[in-house]
Amino acid sequence: MRKVRDYDAELKALGDKARALKAKRVEQLGQLVTATGADALDAETLAGVLLDAIGSKDASAKEAWRAKGAAFFQRRGRKGGGAAAIDGPGAATEPSGDAADGSGSAANG
């Protein structure tokens, strides 16, 4: 005889896993904000920058932002092991001016 599946338990387990993954993503995004120095911005400014980036139709600006982000993660990787090193000991030593200075010039040029 086949074992009866407990669909309710499986759905609950999937829901718990989805909540855990969402919480982990939120934590990682917070770590990214801190690692880039964007935590020095007030919440309204940071939200405005992100909304402009989402709404931007300028493909060259988006590519410049992507390249700058990739370079950021490559620098982080050399310092301590890749993107997972965002919350590592070197996070506070990143210059905070890089992210703010570069995104403004990429959007303007």
Side-chain angles (χ1 to χ4, degrees), residues 11 18 47 50 58 61 73 83 85 98 108:
L11 282 173
L50 293 172
D58 186 357
F73 284 114
D98 284 355
N108 294 334

Side-chain angles (χ1 to χ4, degrees), residues 45-105:
T45 302
L46 181 58
V49 168
L50 293 172
L51 289 170
D52 276 353
I54 290 169
S56 176
K57 304 287 186 216
D58 186 357
S60 63
K62 286 185 176 185
E63 177 56 27
W65 295 332
R66 189 208 59 76
K68 189 166 226 170
F72 171 80
F73 284 114
Q74 288 175 355
R75 278 195 317 267
R76 304 284 316 157
R78 285 194 298 266
K79 287 185 177 183
I86 286 175
D87 59 342
T93 61
E94 260 319 294
S96 62
D98 284 355
D101 293 341
S103 62
S105 64

Side-chain angles (χ1 to χ4, degrees), residues 19-36:
R19 277 189 292 282
L21 288 172
K22 185 175 181 179
K24 182 178 180 181
R25 180 165 170 77
V26 168
E27 181 181 346
Q28 288 175 335
L29 289 170
Q31 291 171 351
L32 180 61
V33 167
T34 301
T36 59

